[in-house]
């Protein structure tokens, strides 16, 4: 039979030798192939990286060339404008539109004046004046350096597109910048790369561009343009891209935002210092290398298998005699009694000698087994009848004997000859240290639980481990006897648990607990009792009641002891010093009677009620402090119960209501506040009583004084979850409301001129339009400004310019009716609303009057005489024109003002829609020649 513990699957010696040869061949082949592949992979990786970097560098140079050629176009345009020497910006739009070929290089070309205003652009004259780029860095740098540049990426304020701009200054004859030409390129149209944007690295690799600050200029994913590269990939961005932003140029390997290993290449453009990058997935870049590697490894595996097969054939032939011996030994193990003498067929070599020696040993073993069988049978009969589990293990912890009880636990499994750790499994770790002590010569006794895997985990056993000593005193094994003591242990546990439960209960009661016999000797005391007696952890049993309490405390107990010993329960208070102050206690004496009704002892329980007494005192003090605080607060504080009756009021009620707080208690809210006030606040009261915090403003009249209050109802929700009442807090905000009204008025006034500001005008104009529509009356909106006011500011300074604005506002107010609305929008821009007009001539009359009053007499401010004129744009609005909104009227007046400026200033112009008949009354007019000041 097979030896216990041997695997069912075994490899022969010839198989193991063949596998060894195959393994050696495989290892050598793999080593050579790996080294060769390493050299090839290194060379190919360097070649692929160099090729990728070369393509990126070529694209970077192409981008520089594209930007350079576009810049040359703008330089040519600037030279043409400088040659034309336009007197003003008006002809620039027509000139620019003649160069429509610029659209092939730019999405839009615009001319900007020195204030950053758009004066001409390829996308149409209607957009002129609608954009100002004075705050753009590329505009400021172009003006400051007097040379063109390529801007950082930005978002167009007009259409929201992501763009870059190429700029070129237009220089006048004095060498100063007169205009700035801006050529815009939309990034999402990929105009920068053009056909280069379709370049791919492998199937899914791509090209992208970003600035040194990480702003994306070009990317196949158009949604990422103008976003920062650090916003993708998590943890602050892709490490390879961050390295390129720090100045790195070249190639490197890393992972993209999706974690795909990739080969990166970076180069910088010379003109813009942009970073041109390429991402090439490593799986695609090195696909050919991996195919070579797989082929080489497959060849090495085939070679090793062939070598192993050849070695197996040779070994089988050479080891055939040894295999026959192995079969003979297996047969002898199964039937040892049949081996009597060596067969004649044994060869005369080492294998034959080994076979004959084996046969002799098997015969000796058979004889020994017969002699031991009788002795073992007697020993087993005795051990099987002992009421314990008996076993023996040798020094190597292999079972040499187990009785019937152990075999029954293991369902009759074969244990003798097996290792005890193997047989007992995980349970062996419990007894391992004790067997080690027994093997060291020590007799060990221990209690332990049974093995759950054998179904005895709920049982408790007492094990005895006794060393098995030979004649020389050496330990050759261990005898183990294990007794079931579960019932005994359960009884001990029950007693211990009952005692512990009683001790835990009494130790955790917030009281001193003790039990005394009739002679007042203590038989039990909890931890508080021991601490009070000053015994600490020492037992209190045997201490008398007087000794435990002390003389002073005992004298307070003494009168009640006879009553308790008569069989009655007694409860009484006592006082005693406690941590430097007087403490209060409540004592309970409970008699303990036997079945005959005789008192055999008594229980003493003493509760510390010092905290309760102190809490009563603190509550009284707290109520006094609360009353003092609330009586001195500048607010009316009350408490309203669920019946809407007042149960608390502070002293403020005297000032606000003319009633003493005590006069309010118990009265219904309606009786105190009045029916009208009560009905107005009843919905808020209902919400607060439903558990909602409510705030509202209220006005009250008392003794001819109106008071504005901020009232807050706070529900009194207690531990039971119910609302028991309402805390009412009323704050006087009359002065605050007055200040708030004044601030609202100031927010609608221009602080320099005292006129209404833009906010007030924006509120007034829609109402004026609506009034005209309802009454059927016409109205007019005038848009005015001071001619060449910037020159006045630049010449005389802003302080004098402000004085001019004040005088202008004064003259303007003197020129209109009291019902007309004059407002200052911003700077030197003013508006005038005329209502209830009979026709356009009425507005023209007012406009002539204003032009004359402003321009006839020079302004004398701060000792300076200044000639000032004004231009006016008029939008006349008839009630029948219901389609015009306030915003459209203001736009019409603004357009008319522009026409007035274009017609020579110091005049007024009416807004005339395209194609409308030209009314002589609305053709505009201005100051007469003899009235026009020199500055006109």
């Amino acid at each position: 039979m097979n030896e216990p513990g041997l695997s069912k699957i075994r490899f022969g010696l010839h198989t193991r030798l063949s596998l060894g040869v195959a393994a050696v061949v495989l290892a050598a082949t793999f080593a050579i192939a790996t080294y060769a592949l390493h050299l090839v992979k290194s060379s190919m990786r360097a070649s692929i990286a160099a090729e990728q970097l070369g393509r990126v560098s070529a694209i970077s140079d192409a981008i520089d060339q594209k930007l350079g050629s576009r810049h040359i176009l703008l330089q040519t345009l600037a030279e043409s404008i400088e040659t034309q020497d336009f007197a003003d910006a008006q002809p620039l739009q027509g000139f620019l539109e003649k160069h429509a070929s610029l659209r092939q290089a730019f999405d839009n070309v615009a001319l900007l004046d020195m204030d950053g205003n758009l004066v001409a652009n390829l996308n149409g004259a209607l957009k002129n004046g609608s954009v100002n780029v004075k705050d753009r860095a590329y505009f400021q740098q172009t003006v400051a350096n007097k040379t063109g540049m390529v801007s950082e990426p930005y978002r167009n304020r007009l259409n929201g597109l992501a763009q870059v701009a190429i700029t070129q200054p237009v220089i006048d004859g004095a060498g100063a910048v007169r205009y700035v030409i801006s050529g815009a390129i939309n990034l999402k149209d990929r105009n920068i790369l053009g056909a280069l944007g379709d370049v791919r690295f492998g199937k899914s690799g791509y090209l992208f561009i970003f600035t040194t600050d990480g702003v994306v200029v070009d990317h196949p994913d158009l949604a990422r343009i103008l976003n920062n590269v650090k916003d993708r990939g998590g943890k602050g961005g892709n490490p390879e891209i961050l390295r390129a932003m720090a100045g790195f140029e070249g190639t490197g390997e890393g992972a993209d935002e999706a974690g795909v290993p990739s080969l990166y290449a970076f180069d910088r453009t010379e003109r813009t210092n942009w970073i041109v990058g390429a991402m090439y997935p490593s799986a695609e870049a090195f696909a050919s290398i991996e195919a070579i590697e797989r082929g080489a490894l497959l060849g090495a595996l085939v070679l090793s298998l062939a070598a192993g097969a050849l070695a197996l054939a040779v070994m089988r032939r050479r080891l055939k005699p040894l295999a026959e011996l192995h079969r003979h030994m297996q047969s002898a193990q199964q039937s040892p009694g049949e081996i009597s003498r060596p067969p004649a067929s044994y060869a005369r070599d080492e294998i034959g000698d080994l076979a004959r020696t084996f046969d002799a040993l098997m015969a000796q073993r058979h004889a020994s087994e017969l002699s031991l069988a009788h002795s073992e049978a007697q020993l087993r009969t005795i051990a099987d009848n002992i009421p314990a589990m008996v076993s023996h293990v040798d020094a190597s912890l292999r079972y040499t004997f187990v009785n019937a009880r152990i075999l029954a636990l293991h369902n009759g499994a074969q244990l003798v000859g097996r290792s005890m750790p193997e047989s007992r499994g995980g349970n062996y770790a419990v007894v391992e240290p004790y067997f080690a002590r027994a093997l060291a010569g020590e007799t060990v006794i221990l209690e332990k639980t049974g093995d759950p895997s054998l179904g005895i985990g709920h049982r408790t056993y007492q094990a005895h481990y006794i060393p098995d000593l030979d004649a020389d005193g050496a330990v050759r094994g261990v005898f183990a006897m294990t007794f079931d003591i579960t019932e005994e242990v359960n009884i001990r546990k029950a007693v211990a648990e009952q005692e512990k439960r009683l001790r835990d209960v009494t130790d955790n009661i917030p009281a001193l607990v003790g039990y005394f016999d009739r002679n007042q000797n203590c038989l039990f005391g909890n931890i508080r009792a021991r601490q009070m007696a000053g015994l600490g952890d020492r037992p209190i049993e045997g201490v008398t009641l007087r000794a435990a309490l002390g003389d002073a405390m005992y004298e307070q107990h003494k009168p009640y002891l006879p009553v308790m010993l008569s069989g009655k329960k007694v409860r009484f208070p006592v006082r005693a010093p406690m941590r430097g102050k007087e403490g209060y206690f409540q004592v309970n004496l409970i008699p303990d009677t036997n079945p005959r009704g005789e008192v055999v002892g008594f229980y003493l329980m003493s509760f510390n009620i010092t905290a309760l007494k102190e809490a009563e005192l603190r509550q009284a003090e707290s109520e006094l402090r609360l009353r003092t605080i609330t009586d001195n607060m500048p607010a009316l504080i009350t408490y309203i119960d669920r019946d809407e009756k007042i149960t608390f009021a502070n002293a403020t009620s005297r000032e606000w209501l003319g009633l003493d707080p005590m006069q309010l208690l118990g009265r219904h809210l309606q009786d105190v506040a009045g029916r009208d006030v009560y009905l107005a606040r009843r919905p808020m009261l209902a919400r607060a009583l439903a558990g909602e915090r409510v705030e509202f403003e209220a006005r009250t009249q008392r003794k001819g004084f109106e008071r504005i209050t901020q009232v807050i109802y706070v529900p009194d929700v207690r531990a039971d979850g119910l609302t028991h009442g309402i805390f009412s807090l009323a704050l006087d905000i009359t002065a605050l409301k007055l200040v708030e009204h004044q601030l609202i008025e100031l927010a609608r006034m221009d602080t320099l001129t005292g006129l209404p500001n833009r906010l007030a005008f924006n509120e007034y104009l829609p109402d004026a339009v609506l009034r005209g529509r309802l009454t059927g009356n016409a109205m007019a909106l005038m848009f005015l400004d001071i001619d060449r006011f910037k020159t006045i500011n630049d010449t005389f300074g802003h302080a004098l310019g402000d004085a001019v604005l004040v005088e202008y506002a004064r003259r303007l107010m003197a020129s209109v009716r009291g019902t007309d609305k004059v407002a200052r929008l911003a700077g030197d821009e003013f508006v005038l609303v005329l209502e209830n007009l009979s026709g356009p001539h009425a507005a023209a009359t007012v406009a002539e009057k204003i032009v004359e009053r402003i321009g006839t007499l020079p302004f004398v401010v701060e000792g300076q005489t200044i000639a000032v004129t004004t231009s006016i744009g008029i939008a006349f609005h008839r009630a029948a024109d219901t389609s015009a909104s306030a915003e459209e009227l203001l736009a019409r007046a603004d357009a008319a003002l522009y026409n007035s400026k274009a017609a020579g200033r110091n005049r007024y112009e009416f807004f005339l829609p395209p194609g409308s008949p030209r009314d002589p009354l609305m053709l505009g007019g201005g100051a007469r020649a003899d009235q026009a000041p020199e500055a006109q």
Side-chain angles (χ1 to χ4, degrees):
M1 59 184 294
N2 293 334
E3 293 182 10
L6 291 179
S7 174
K8 298 294 183 182
I9 301 175
R10 297 182 58 184
F11 293 101
L13 179 60
H14 47 76
T15 303
R16 294 197 298 275
L17 290 174
S18 300
L19 292 176
V21 171
V24 171
V25 173
L26 181 62
T29 305
F30 274 22
I32 296 171
T34 301
Y35 179 71
L37 285 172
H38 174 72
L39 297 178
V40 173
K41 288 171 66 176
S42 298
S43 176
M44 292 186 70
R45 282 176 178 268
S47 176
I48 292 170
E51 179 186 357
Q52 184 184 9
L53 180 59
R55 294 173 69 186
V56 170
S57 298
I59 293 171
S60 176
D61 295 339
I63 292 172
D64 279 327
Q65 183 179 359
K66 285 175 176 289
L67 295 177
S69 63
R70 285 169 168 79
H71 192 197
I72 291 172
L73 291 176
L74 295 186
Q75 288 176 336
T76 303
L77 180 63
E79 292 172 359
S80 298
I81 296 174
E82 292 170 1
T83 303
Q84 296 287 335
D85 192 20
F86 295 105
D88 54 38
Q90 187 173 1
L92 289 175
Q93 179 65 36
F95 176 80
L96 187 59
E97 290 176 351
K98 294 178 181 179
H99 295 76
S101 60
L102 290 173
R103 293 185 180 278
Q104 298 177 9
F106 300 97
D107 293 284
N108 187 25
V109 176
L111 276 87
L112 310 166
D113 62 15
M114 289 300 93
D115 292 328
N117 294 315
L118 181 66
V119 297
N121 77 103
L122 282 179
N123 287 343
L126 292 178
K127 295 184 178 180
N128 294 342
S130 61
V131 176
N132 186 286
V133 297
K134 190 173 184 179
D135 60 332
R136 294 287 196 187
Y138 67 81
F139 177 84
Q140 297 172 356
Q141 293 175 16
T142 302
V143 173
N145 300 330
K146 297 183 179 181
T147 183
M149 62 172 293
V150 180
S151 74
E152 292 293 316
Y154 65 90
R155 191 170 299 282
N156 189 295
R157 291 173 177 167
L158 195 59
N159 54 30
L161 294 176
Q163 296 180 337
V164 294
I166 302 177
T167 64
Q168 177 63 30
V170 178
I171 310 298
D172 61 13
V177 177
R178 188 171 185 181
Y179 300 105
V180 173
I181 303 175
S182 172
I185 302 173
N186 289 344
L187 298 180
K188 291 193 176 182
D189 293 338
R190 309 204 75 187
N191 285 337
I192 292 180
L193 288 179
L196 299 176
D198 298 327
V199 173
R200 286 289 181 270
F201 294 84
K203 294 182 180 179
S204 57
Y206 55 86
L207 192 71
F208 58 97
I209 304 173
F210 57 97
T211 68
T212 54
D213 294 329
V215 178
V216 177
V217 178
D218 189 88
H219 198 281
D221 182 1
L222 299 182
R224 296 190 60 177
I225 293 177
L226 282 193
N227 292 325
N228 199 292
V229 293
K230 297 180 182 179
D231 296 338
R232 298 291 290 264
K235 299 183 179 178
N238 188 309
E240 290 301 318
I241 293 178
L242 296 180
R243 192 157 68 112
M245 289 171 59
F248 171 74
E249 291 183 277
T251 61
E253 292 189 48
D256 66 2
E257 293 87 345
V260 177
S262 304
L263 181 64
Y264 285 90
F266 299 100
D267 193 18
R268 296 201 178 198
T269 61
E270 294 183 1
R271 183 175 292 271
T272 60
N273 199 31
W274 290 344
I275 301 170
V276 181
M279 190 282 289
Y280 194 176
S282 299
E284 299 176 15
F286 306 132
S288 59
I289 300 176
E290 293 176 354
I292 294 173
E293 185 177 11
R294 287 194 297 270
L297 295 178
L298 180 60
L301 179 61
V302 171
L303 179 60
S304 62
L305 292 176
L310 180 61
L312 177 61
V314 174
M315 293 299 175
R316 279 185 178 277
R317 184 176 181 84
R318 303 300 302 171
L319 297 177
K320 184 176 180 181
L322 189 59
E324 293 177 353
L325 174 59
H326 178 250
R327 287 193 295 271
H328 173 66
M329 293 175 69
Q330 289 180 326
S331 177
Q333 282 184 316
Q334 296 173 2
S335 304
E338 297 178 1
I339 305 300
S340 58
R341 55 187 176 82
S345 60
Y346 285 163
R348 295 295 178 177
D349 56 13
E350 293 84 353
I351 296 177
D353 294 340
L354 180 61
R356 285 187 288 272
T357 302
F358 173 75
D359 289 342
L361 290 175
M362 290 299 294
Q364 293 177 8
R365 172 187 169 185
H366 180 64
S368 298
E369 288 177 350
L370 291 176
S371 63
L372 292 176
H374 180 69
S375 299
E376 183 178 345
Q378 290 180 329
L379 177 62
R380 176 162 298 281
T381 300
I382 297 171
D384 287 347
N385 288 279
I386 294 177
M389 290 182 285
V390 181
S391 65
H392 179 272
V393 295
D394 59 18
S396 62
L397 295 178
R398 288 189 176 275
Y399 282 113
T400 61
F401 177 81
V402 292
N403 71 345
R405 292 181 182 270
I406 296 179
L407 288 174
L409 277 178
H410 290 269
N411 297 320
Q414 178 66 34
L415 295 179
V416 175
R418 292 180 60 187
S419 169
M420 183 178 66
E422 177 188 347
S423 302
R424 300 189 66 163
N427 185 255
Y428 172 69
V430 177
V431 299
E432 180 180 11
Y434 304 104
F435 268 91
R437 289 165 56 187
L439 287 172
E442 178 185 354
T443 298
V444 181
I445 301 175
L446 75 148
E447 288 186 9
K448 64 184 183 68
T449 58
D451 186 353
S453 64
L454 299 176
I456 55 173
H458 61 288
R459 311 294 293 178
T460 304
Y461 297 89
Q462 185 181 73
H464 298 250
Y465 301 145
I466 305 167
D468 177 16
L469 306 177
D470 61 12
D472 298 326
V475 178
R476 58 187 180 187
V478 177
F479 294 103
M481 297 181 64
T482 305
F483 301 90
D484 189 341
I485 59 169
T486 302
E487 301 304 326
E488 177 185 346
V489 170
N490 289 341
I491 293 172
R492 292 204 308 263
K493 285 182 178 179
V495 174
E497 287 176 0
Q498 184 176 2
E499 293 178 352
K500 182 179 182 302
R501 191 178 301 112
L502 177 61
R503 174 66 66 181
D504 290 342
V505 170
T506 56
D507 283 349
N508 287 281
I509 292 176
L512 281 70
V513 180
Y515 179 80
F516 297 83
D517 61 16
R518 282 190 62 88
N519 298 322
Q520 301 181 18
N521 293 315
C522 184
L523 303 181
F524 171 82
N526 70 347
I527 188 171
R528 295 177 184 269
R530 294 194 300 273
Q531 290 173 350
M532 183 174 181
L535 298 175
D537 294 334
R538 290 176 294 165
I540 197 172
E541 290 75 7
V543 177
T544 63
L545 180 62
R546 180 184 289 273
L549 297 177
D551 292 336
M553 283 281 286
Y554 182 75
E555 290 300 323
Q556 297 183 60
H557 287 67
K558 189 175 181 179
Y560 303 97
L561 291 174
V563 180
M564 178 274 300
L565 290 174
S566 67
K568 296 180 181 179
K569 297 180 181 179
V570 183
R571 176 185 297 175
F572 56 92
V574 298
R575 294 185 180 184
M578 184 180 67
R579 292 188 290 273
K581 63 179 181 179
E582 188 173 44
Y584 298 85
F585 299 87
Q586 180 176 290
V587 180
N588 295 267
L589 296 177
I590 304 168
D592 178 24
T593 59
N594 59 18
R596 295 189 297 275
E598 300 171 345
V599 177
V600 296
F602 61 91
Y603 297 95
L604 182 147
M605 286 189 291
S606 179
F607 296 90
N608 187 346
I609 59 172
T610 304
L612 179 61
K613 288 288 186 182
E614 292 176 347
E616 293 175 353
L617 296 174
R618 285 196 300 270
Q619 182 177 0
E621 294 175 359
S622 176
E623 290 177 355
L624 179 61
R625 284 196 299 270
L626 179 61
R627 168 62 69 177
T628 302
I629 292 171
T630 55
D631 284 349
N632 288 278
M633 287 182 65
L636 179 62
I637 302 173
T638 57
Y639 183 87
I640 305 168
D641 64 15
R642 291 199 62 84
D643 297 328
E644 298 182 353
K645 293 183 179 180
I646 299 173
T647 60
F648 173 83
N650 67 342
T652 308
S653 60
R654 294 191 187 95
E655 177 186 352
W656 287 22
L657 306 177
L659 297 172
D660 189 89
M662 298 305 296
Q663 295 177 282
L664 299 177
L665 302 185
R667 296 179 61 182
H668 195 275
L669 188 61
Q670 181 176 340
D671 298 338
V672 177
R675 179 172 179 77
D676 293 339
V677 174
Y678 171 74
L679 292 177
R681 298 189 183 183
R682 192 170 184 178
M684 281 76 83
L685 287 168
R687 288 164 55 193
L689 288 172
E692 178 185 353
R693 188 179 189 271
V694 182
E695 293 188 25
F696 59 93
E697 291 184 7
R699 294 176 179 268
T700 57
Q701 286 277 356
R702 286 282 178 167
K703 299 180 180 179
F705 176 73
E706 183 179 43
R707 190 186 308 274
I708 304 174
T709 57
Q710 175 74 23
V711 182
I712 304 172
Y713 288 160
V714 180
D716 179 18
V717 182
R718 300 183 186 176
D720 57 5
L722 300 177
T723 303
H724 290 258
I726 305 170
F727 296 99
S728 173
L729 175 65
L731 303 172
D732 189 348
I733 59 172
T734 306
L736 181 63
K737 283 294 180 180
L738 179 60
V739 172
E740 180 182 340
H741 178 73
Q742 293 172 348
L743 290 176
I744 292 174
E745 292 298 322
L746 288 174
R748 286 163 173 77
M749 184 182 72
D750 177 46
T751 56
L752 177 64
T753 62
L755 297 177
N757 59 11
R758 181 183 291 272
L759 175 61
F761 171 73
N762 289 340
E763 294 174 348
Y764 180 83
L765 181 57
D767 293 339
V769 173
L770 180 60
R771 283 194 298 272
R773 191 176 301 164
L774 294 176
T775 61
N777 295 326
M779 62 171 291
L781 172 64
M782 295 186 184
F783 204 132
L784 313 91
D785 72 358
I786 300 173
D787 295 331
R788 297 185 177 89
F789 182 70
K790 184 177 184 300
T791 303
I792 295 174
N793 263 342
D794 294 343
T795 304
F796 299 101
H798 289 282
L800 191 139
D802 289 346
V804 169
L805 291 173
V806 173
E807 175 61 18
Y808 180 88
R810 187 190 67 77
R811 295 191 185 189
L812 183 59
M813 287 293 295
S815 304
V816 299
R817 301 171 298 179
T819 58
D820 297 333
K821 187 71 170 183
V822 180
R824 180 191 177 200
L825 295 186
D828 65 327
E829 296 179 345
F830 293 81
V831 288
L832 171 61
V833 181
L834 305 175
E835 297 186 66
N836 302 321
L837 299 181
S838 57
H841 64 278
T845 301
V846 176
E848 289 176 355
K849 184 178 180 181
I850 294 172
V851 171
E852 180 181 359
R853 187 177 293 271
I854 297 297
T856 301
L857 295 178
F859 282 37
V860 179
V861 290
E862 298 184 4
Q864 298 283 344
T865 301
I866 303 172
V868 178
T869 62
T870 185
S871 297
I872 306 173
I874 307 173
F876 185 77
H877 178 61
R878 293 180 174 85
D881 185 8
T882 59
S883 62
S885 65
E887 292 79 5
E888 291 171 345
L889 283 179
L890 185 61
R892 293 176 180 179
D894 189 16
L897 175 62
Y898 179 82
N899 295 334
S900 176
K901 292 282 188 181
R905 299 185 175 87
N906 192 29
R907 60 185 290 112
Y908 65 88
E909 289 286 340
F910 278 87
F911 172 78
L912 295 175
S916 63
R918 302 181 63 82
D919 188 341
L921 291 175
M922 301 178 68
L923 293 179
R928 295 188 301 273
D930 59 344
Q931 296 173 335
E934 296 178 359
Q936 184 173 327

